[in-house]
Amino acid sequence: MLMKKTSLKICGITNTQSINTAYKNKIKSLGFASNNLKGPNTATDKKIQLLIEECKNFKIESVLLTRYVSLNKLIEQIDYTKPKTISCSYHYNKNELKIIKKTFRKLKIGIAINPENYNLSYLKEIKNIVNIIYYDLNVYKTKSIKTYSLKKCLDQIRSIKNLSIPIYIGGGIDEHKAKEIIRLLHPDGIDVSRGLKNSKNIISTRKLKKFLQQVAVA
């Protein structure tokens, strides 16, 4: 059986130059991290709104990453920034996710999971509501990032795949790790951030081309 190519999403986008580079290299999905999150490469809602507007011009899927806030605040943030997809907290329950789905009928809903908050019962409960699971090998602390090895997370990731929920895997991904993830797990997507950028947090054309040449991604 012929395996479909794994999609590539580049996350932590904070500038127009990165969107232009992504478009020129036929990248179809970009992630924007709200500054309510811990970790690097975040932006204000106003900045994200402007960048998402640019993505629409290029027909690039925009993904908003945001933390757990009240449901009303999340709805306000989605309505203001207008992403194609949301990557939100696992704290939202089934009924809250249904309200989001009803409010934004075209919005794809993603749930952000990491090795420390993985909960299979929760995922089984919401699997018919959400469109994507974003599994992050990184766990962001206030002043540090803890990266789990792929080997330690294989069982968790495989159990998500068994639920037939599309899954994107991220967290300290370079071309070597990406190839290993694809070989072992055949996820729907790979999520890459800092590994494809220069010191100014702009996507590096050189790094991106090298990645695309070495990894079978679409």
Side-chain angles (χ1 to χ4, degrees):
M1 186 176 72
L2 203 63
M3 284 285 183
K4 67 173 184 178
K5 268 195 175 182
T6 301
S7 296
L8 174 63
K9 170 174 162 273
I10 305 178
C11 201
I13 301 300
T14 58
N15 51 73
T16 297
Q17 297 98 310
S18 290
I19 295 175
N20 287 329
T21 301
Y23 172 70
K24 288 173 185 173
N25 288 276
K26 300 180 180 177
I27 303 302
K28 298 182 180 73
S29 183
L30 296 176
F32 303 87
S34 169
N35 64 355
N36 65 25
L37 289 165
K38 296 173 185 174
N41 308 331
T42 62
T44 64
D45 283 355
K46 180 62 179 173
K47 180 75 171 175
I48 289 172
Q49 181 203 47
L50 293 170
L51 293 171
I52 285 176
E53 194 61 40
E54 288 190 51
C55 284
K56 288 176 185 171
N57 295 334
F58 291 128
K59 295 184 169 54
I60 294 173
E61 182 200 29
S62 53
V63 183
L64 172 67
L65 290 71
T66 188
R67 71 184 286 272
Y68 182 63
V69 292
S70 71
L71 183 61
N72 284 341
K73 276 194 173 182
L74 179 65
I75 288 171
E76 283 176 14
Q77 190 179 29
I78 295 168
D79 191 47
Y80 181 74
T81 55
K82 294 181 170 51
K84 290 285 185 187
T85 304
I86 181 81
S87 172
C88 60
S89 169
Y90 64 96
H91 286 295
Y92 293 104
N93 63 40
K94 184 177 180 179
N95 288 333
E96 289 174 318
L97 294 172
K98 280 183 175 178
I99 291 169
I100 295 169
K101 196 109 183 156
K102 189 175 179 181
T103 307
F104 303 100
R105 295 190 182 276
K106 292 183 179 179
L107 181 76
K108 289 187 199 171
I109 299 177
I111 297 293
I113 299 290
N114 67 45
E116 293 183 7
N117 64 35
Y118 166 84
N119 182 331
L120 186 58
S121 298
Y122 169 73
L123 295 175
K124 285 179 178 177
E125 189 179 347
I126 63 162
K127 73 171 192 167
N128 293 325
I129 303 169
V130 301
N131 304 95
I132 304 168
I133 297 296
Y134 294 104
Y135 189 97
D136 199 338
L137 297 167
N138 287 339
V139 178
Y140 293 92
K141 310 291 185 180
T142 304
K143 293 184 178 179
S144 63
I145 301 171
K146 181 176 181 181
T147 301
Y148 280 75
S149 70
L150 180 62
K151 186 178 178 182
K152 279 192 173 181
C153 303
L154 285 175
D155 288 344
Q156 288 186 3
I157 295 169
R158 283 172 176 150
S159 70
I160 295 169
K161 282 179 66 69
N162 287 340
L163 296 175
S164 298
I165 308 175
I167 185 169
Y168 275 60
I169 301 171
I173 308 290
D174 59 16
E175 54 263 33
H176 306 294
K177 203 168 185 178
K179 284 193 278 190
E180 184 184 14
I181 288 170
I182 292 169
R183 179 177 63 82
L184 291 173
L185 295 161
H186 301 290
D188 296 85
I190 293 285
D191 212 331
V192 186
S193 181
R194 288 171 295 164
L196 295 179
K197 295 172 186 167
N198 62 24
S199 59
K200 295 180 181 177
N201 199 39
I202 298 169
I203 294 176
S204 162
T205 299
R206 178 184 59 80
K207 289 181 180 180
L208 179 55
K209 285 186 182 298
K210 181 184 174 189
F211 188 93
L212 294 172
Q213 284 166 0
Q214 295 192 28
V215 183
V217 290

